[in-house]
Amino acid sequence: GNASVSFGCCDVSGTVEIGADAEICNGDETTLVLTGTGGTAPYTITVMATTESGATSTFDITTDGTGVAQVPVSPTETTTYKITNVVDDDDCSKAVSDQEVTVTVLDAQAGEISGSDEICAGAEVDLTIGASTGDFVLFILFDNDGKAI
């Protein structure tokens, strides 16, 4: 979440944090915002990613000179990103244990629309819309002649 973790050595203290939880559709991406303050930027922040199925990977991100890094991620399953360590530019290092966010990957929803496929201008038609599970958003696009696309 957005809580701060203090780190310090070499007479330096500061904080590191990772942004907020997010929800995306499979195939989309979101951006993790990693921020370090109080030490000497740039920071090298170690992040461990753990997928819903239990696979893990670890990667290092280096912030810019203001202590911020924006990292695009596009997991294919729900994944938790946890900061495990931070090192500032003076090699001051601190283990971190309470900074994590979860990116929830929403399943694609199967749906069906049924009803008349032809209607006359000004006529009404009943459409039945069904989804197998979950919530969904329906968009119907019309061209300039009022025809559904």
Side-chain angles (χ1 to χ4, degrees), residues 58-77:
T58 302
F59 53 95
D60 288 334
I61 301 298
T62 301
T63 67
D64 61 19
T66 66
V68 177
Q70 296 189 17
V71 183
V73 295
S74 54
T76 57
E77 63 181 300

Side-chain angles (χ1 to χ4, degrees), residues 18 22 30 32 35 39 58 72 77 85 107 122 124 130 134 136 145 147 149:
I18 192 167
T30 189
L32 303 179
T35 307
T58 302
E77 63 181 300
N85 195 62
D107 293 333
E124 293 183 13
F136 65 96
D145 296 323
K147 296 178 184 173
I149 303 174

